[in-house]
Amino acid sequence: MDGPMRVLVTGGSGLVGRAIERVVKEGERREGEEWIFLSSKDANLVSAEETRSVFQKHRPTHVIHLAAMVGGLYRNMRQNLDFWRDNVHINDNVLYMSQEFGVVKVVSCLSTCVFPDKTTYPIDETMMHNGAPHESNYGYAYAKRMIDVHNRACFQQYGLRYTAVIPTNIFGPHDNYNIEDCHVMPGLVHKTYLAKKEGKPLEVWGSGRALRQFIYSVDLARLFVWVLREYDEVEPIIASVGEEDELTIKDAVDAVVEGFGFKGEVIYDTSKSDGQIKKTASNAKLRKYLPDFKFTPFKAAVKETCDWLAANYDIIRK
Amino acid sequence: MRVLVTGGSGLVGRAIERVVKEGEGREGEEWIFLSSKDANLMSAEETRSVFQKHRPTHVIHLAAMVGGLFRNMRQNLDFWRNNVFINDNVLQTAHEFGVVKVVSCLSTCIFPDKTTYPIDETMIHNGPPHESNFGYAYAKRMIDVHNRACCQQYGRRYTAVIPTNVFGPHDNFNIEDGHVLPGLIHKTYMAKKEGKALQVWGSGRPLRQFIYSLDLARLFLWVLRDYDEVEPIILSVGEEDELSIKDAVNAVVEGMEFKGDVIYDTSKADGQFKKTASNAKLRKYLPDFKFTPFKAAMKETCDWFEANYDIARK
């Protein structure tokens, strides 16, 4: 295509969308480029007509597709049908309209949580469809996997190089901090803030033994921009810190406690589910392309997130 | 029961219509056979209208975008999208209209390509399907995902059957697009009529289990009435009755009384080499079910095709 990109970012008001907005503003944007950040207020992407309208309005050349129905472990376990259906509709609408409107490239967002439950470790990009996902969120997992199926079929039938990124556990400012629904890091950050404020113990769900690789949203945002500009494969790419940086939930708890300077008791409620015990992902493919990419050190990133929540508590999503 | 059969004008739909008419229907039951003329099930509104019109208590969901090996290889995106829409519309609308039970139709061709044999019902999602029809395969697999999620969230007991290779009257006999047996029947008919050789695509070596549409129809009715699991059930002759494509060619040649040459074009793809499925679960429920012998079923199908050549879908 000729001329600068016009990039539509769906889910633009979310955790990753806000991070992309920030890195674009702080230097990643190039001359003449236009970046449009959509939220659910602009269009309900579950509806084909509303998706069409928003594509007609903006006529993007590129799309970063982040919008999804997401939730933490507990909400997924209760509503697998809704997670399956709504996400399939959102994804089909965005990918299909992109094709109709001649979008050159779409970068969608998957997750390591969609990988097979029974697997060898570390997991890599070739393994996504090698078995059934974890029982707790199979609706969401299959919907995300089908983005990759759609991309491959679209490439086979039309030659379009739409692709996807597979982050591990993301955290940062502008997350969903609702304690019932959210993911592990924002949940810890919010609960520690409240525990400190109310002078109560911090109650952590699960045993603390589950292992995760965490990626700071601002680092992921830089990688999304790189994928949009430079990554040419249809096969997705894992965006994560290396296996050597895998942490336990307890490590994460300790970092959040330190980030807030929390002095109270920490209690682990082992009656609550741990979810998957490990999901170790290989970032070898990323390192092959970007051997020198520097991730923000975990404790510093957690501190930034805690400071942001404390400064913005009134407006956070909760 | 008021039973809505989507894809009612197809191979399996017509077989169900016939067995219902010939004795399997029960007192007070109503059976409605839909075709694409009645509704385009890729449209949510048209699906809703047809459910509003008929208000079924039960659904046998056979409608799909289907094709043979070569069409699938060219149009994986269309096969994926169109079937996802059809399936989501039928299953979601059924749920909204309080349909008690939906029996959908999967296929052994959607199972993992790299697998041990025989395949069974627990293995559907254990790995990627064959590259040749992954769009269709994933769309069908997602019926099972939808059924399980719908049971988990709403307690519905929608289920599915998994036939092996189906054949019989009222099939799609289009040589480009049809499946292996109807393709062979049509080509043998033409070869016989034109006094030419019969050209078979592929080596003839791949192995398949074939199920006659009338047998499948009787089993569909049993599943609708008596099978209570959400997990799907394979409907097939046993592993001991697996045949090569060459065996099938010979049966068609015999059924058509074809006397000319038979040539195997090995430059054409064979598709999956084997897909051996276990019917142990079916046999556990129905140890005495009798399948129509293959040659007899083939003869009936060939006779039907010759008698109905003008109206056959081709």
Side-chain angles (χ1 to χ4, degrees):
Chain A
M1 51 152 271
D2 299 315
M5 306 195 295
R6 187 164 41 257
V7 187
L8 191 70
V9 181
T10 74
S13 59
L15 168 67
V16 183
R18 289 281 192 189
I20 294 177
E21 195 172 21
R22 175 176 149 183
V23 306
V24 160
K25 228 177 272 192
E26 292 179 359
E28 289 279 353
R29 181 210 305 271
R30 292 184 185 168
E31 189 75 42
E33 275 178 3
E34 203 184 322
W35 287 75
I36 302 138
F37 293 85
L38 292 184
S39 81
S40 52
K41 294 184 186 60
D42 301 298
N44 171 14
L45 300 172
V46 172
S47 150
E49 293 98 63
E50 290 196 41
T51 309
R52 180 178 290 278
S53 296
V54 88
F55 272 75
Q56 246 154 7
K57 179 175 176 182
H58 295 290
R59 301 206 165 261
T61 59
H62 294 68
V63 174
I64 292 181
H65 173 42
L66 307 172
M69 177 180 172
V70 295
L73 174 66
Y74 302 97
R75 188 159 167 230
N76 268 280
M77 284 167 74
R78 285 193 304 266
Q79 290 179 241
N80 271 298
L81 186 64
D82 295 341
F83 275 92
W84 160 247
R85 296 193 68 243
D86 289 354
N87 282 313
V88 163
H89 282 122
I90 290 170
N91 296 335
D92 185 78
N93 287 335
V94 172
L95 290 169
Y96 188 67
M97 288 308 154
S98 294
Q99 183 190 333
E100 285 232 315
F101 281 78
V103 166
V104 167
K105 187 160 176 185
V106 181
V107 183
S108 295
C109 194
L110 307 188
S111 168
T112 48
C113 78
V114 314
F115 273 67
D117 182 39
K118 296 193 183 1
T119 182
T120 56
Y121 295 100
I123 56 186
D124 66 51
E125 292 85 352
T126 66
M127 294 161 67
M128 191 171 15
H129 303 283
N130 282 2
H134 195 261
E135 197 50 27
S136 60
N137 68 339
Y138 65 90
Y140 174 87
Y142 277 118
K144 283 291 188 180
R145 289 183 181 197
M146 294 305 115
I147 290 176
D148 180 56
V149 169
H150 189 127
N151 286 345
R152 285 166 38 210
C154 195
F155 175 66
Q156 182 251 320
Q157 197 170 336
Y158 295 107
L160 289 166
R161 293 185 159 279
Y162 295 175
T163 189
V165 170
I166 313 170
T168 47
N169 271 59
I170 315 165
F171 69 97
H174 301 283
D175 207 337
N176 173 12
Y177 299 92
N178 176 295
I179 286 167
E180 283 295 317
D181 279 351
C182 68
H183 292 92
V184 64
M185 282 297 289
L188 284 175
V189 170
H190 190 180
K191 291 205 287 191
T192 308
Y193 172 86
L194 290 177
K196 182 178 174 188
K197 187 166 138 188
E198 298 168 5
K200 290 183 173 168
L202 168 62
E203 282 209 23
V204 180
W205 291 346
S207 68
R209 296 185 307 115
L211 295 155
R212 296 290 184 267
Q213 285 147 295
F214 296 102
I215 179 169
Y216 188 33
S217 61
V218 176
D219 295 336
L220 179 61
R222 291 191 191 101
L223 290 172
F224 254 101
V225 175
W226 170 78
V227 168
L228 184 70
R229 294 191 202 285
E230 316 279 357
Y231 178 73
D232 272 334
E233 297 183 41
V234 174
E235 186 193 73
I237 181 165
I238 288 171
S240 174
V241 298
E243 301 167 54
E244 63 280 6
D245 292 314
E246 194 174 37
L247 299 171
T248 62
I249 298 299
K250 186 175 183 304
D251 293 328
V253 170
D254 292 343
V256 173
V257 160
E258 196 179 313
F260 276 113
F262 178 69
K263 304 281 181 248
E265 221 188 320
V266 179
I267 299 170
Y268 286 84
D269 180 357
T270 52
S271 74
K272 293 285 203 305
S273 172
D274 273 336
Q276 272 175 273
I277 200 73
K278 70 186 263 152
K279 300 180 188 177
T280 320
S282 166
N283 73 350
K285 188 178 197 181
L286 176 68
R287 282 304 182 198
K288 192 184 74 187
Y289 280 99
L290 299 176
D292 300 324
F293 184 85
K294 299 260 177 300
F295 290 94
T296 309
F298 184 67
K299 287 193 174 184
V302 171
K303 181 92 178 75
E304 277 183 37
T305 307
C306 294
D307 290 347
W308 183 89
L309 182 115
N312 292 277
Y313 189 74
D314 294 332
I315 60 149
I316 66 168
R317 287 185 285 143
K318 57 186 182 299
Chain B
M1 299 195 297
R2 184 161 346 92
V3 187
L4 191 69
V5 181
T6 74
S9 59
L11 168 66
V12 183
R14 289 280 193 190
I16 293 177
E17 193 174 21
R18 177 173 149 185
V19 307
V20 161
K21 229 177 272 192
E22 291 180 0
E24 292 275 349
R26 289 182 189 169
E27 190 76 42
E29 275 177 6
E30 200 184 324
W31 287 78
I32 302 138
F33 293 85
L34 293 184
S35 81
S36 52
K37 293 184 187 63
D38 302 297
N40 172 13
L41 299 173
M42 293 191 291
S43 150
E45 293 98 62
E46 289 196 41
T47 308
R48 178 172 289 278
S49 295
V50 88
F51 271 75
Q52 244 153 9
K53 177 175 176 182
H54 295 291
R55 302 211 164 257
T57 58
H58 295 67
V59 173
I60 291 181
H61 171 43
L62 307 172
M65 176 180 173
V66 296
L69 174 66
F70 300 98
R71 189 162 168 228
N72 268 281
M73 284 166 73
R74 286 192 305 265
Q75 290 179 244
N76 271 298
L77 186 63
D78 295 343
F79 276 92
W80 160 248
R81 296 191 70 241
N82 293 340
N83 283 312
V84 163
F85 282 123
I86 291 170
N87 298 334
D88 186 70
N89 287 336
V90 171
L91 291 169
Q92 177 65 11
T93 311
H95 166 67
E96 286 175 9
F97 278 75
V99 167
V100 166
K101 188 160 176 185
V102 180
V103 182
S104 296
C105 193
L106 308 188
S107 168
T108 48
C109 76
I110 70 179
F111 274 69
D113 182 40
K114 298 195 181 0
T115 182
T116 56
Y117 295 99
I119 56 186
D120 65 51
E121 293 85 351
T122 65
M123 294 160 67
I124 299 179
H125 304 283
N126 282 3
H130 195 260
E131 199 49 28
S132 59
N133 67 340
F134 70 89
Y136 174 88
Y138 276 117
K140 284 290 190 181
R141 289 183 182 199
M142 295 306 117
I143 290 176
D144 180 56
V145 169
H146 190 127
N147 286 346
R148 287 167 38 208
C150 200
C151 183
Q152 182 250 320
Q153 197 170 334
Y154 294 110
R156 295 263 185 228
R157 299 190 83 68
Y158 295 174
T159 189
V161 307
I162 314 171
T164 47
N165 272 57
V166 189
F167 70 99
H170 301 283
D171 205 338
N172 174 12
F173 293 88
N174 179 295
I175 286 168
E176 283 292 319
D177 282 350
H179 291 93
V180 64
L181 284 186
L184 281 175
I185 291 170
H186 190 177
K187 291 207 285 191
T188 308
Y189 175 92
M190 300 297 295
K192 183 176 165 187
K193 187 166 136 188
E194 296 167 5
K196 292 183 172 167
L198 168 63
Q199 285 218 15
V200 180
W201 290 345
S203 68
R205 297 185 311 115
L207 300 161
R208 296 290 183 268
Q209 285 147 294
F210 296 104
I211 179 168
Y212 190 32
S213 60
L214 292 180
D215 295 335
L216 179 60
R218 289 184 196 106
L219 290 171
F220 251 103
L221 262 59
W222 167 79
V223 169
L224 183 69
R225 296 198 170 108
D226 294 314
Y227 177 73
D228 271 334
E229 297 183 42
V230 173
E231 186 193 73
I233 181 166
I234 288 171
L235 300 179
S236 175
V237 297
E239 303 166 53
E240 64 279 7
D241 291 313
E242 196 174 35
L243 299 171
S244 67
I245 298 298
K246 186 167 184 302
D247 293 329
V249 169
N250 291 341
V252 173
V253 160
E254 198 178 309
M256 287 283 198
E257 294 172 20
F258 177 70
K259 306 283 181 242
D261 278 342
V262 180
I263 299 168
Y264 287 83
D265 180 358
T266 52
S267 74
K268 293 284 201 305
D270 269 337
Q272 267 176 276
F273 182 70
K274 67 185 264 153
K275 304 179 186 178
T276 321
S278 166
N279 74 350
K281 187 177 195 181
L282 174 66
R283 283 304 182 198
K284 193 184 74 187
Y285 280 98
L286 298 177
D288 299 324
F289 183 84
K290 298 258 176 304
F291 290 93
T292 309
F294 182 67
K295 286 196 175 180
M298 184 55 70
K299 184 89 179 79
E300 276 182 39
T301 308
C302 292
D303 288 349
W304 182 90
F305 186 72
E306 283 190 304
N308 293 277
Y309 183 77
D310 293 332
I311 61 149
R313 285 185 289 144
K314 56 192 182 295

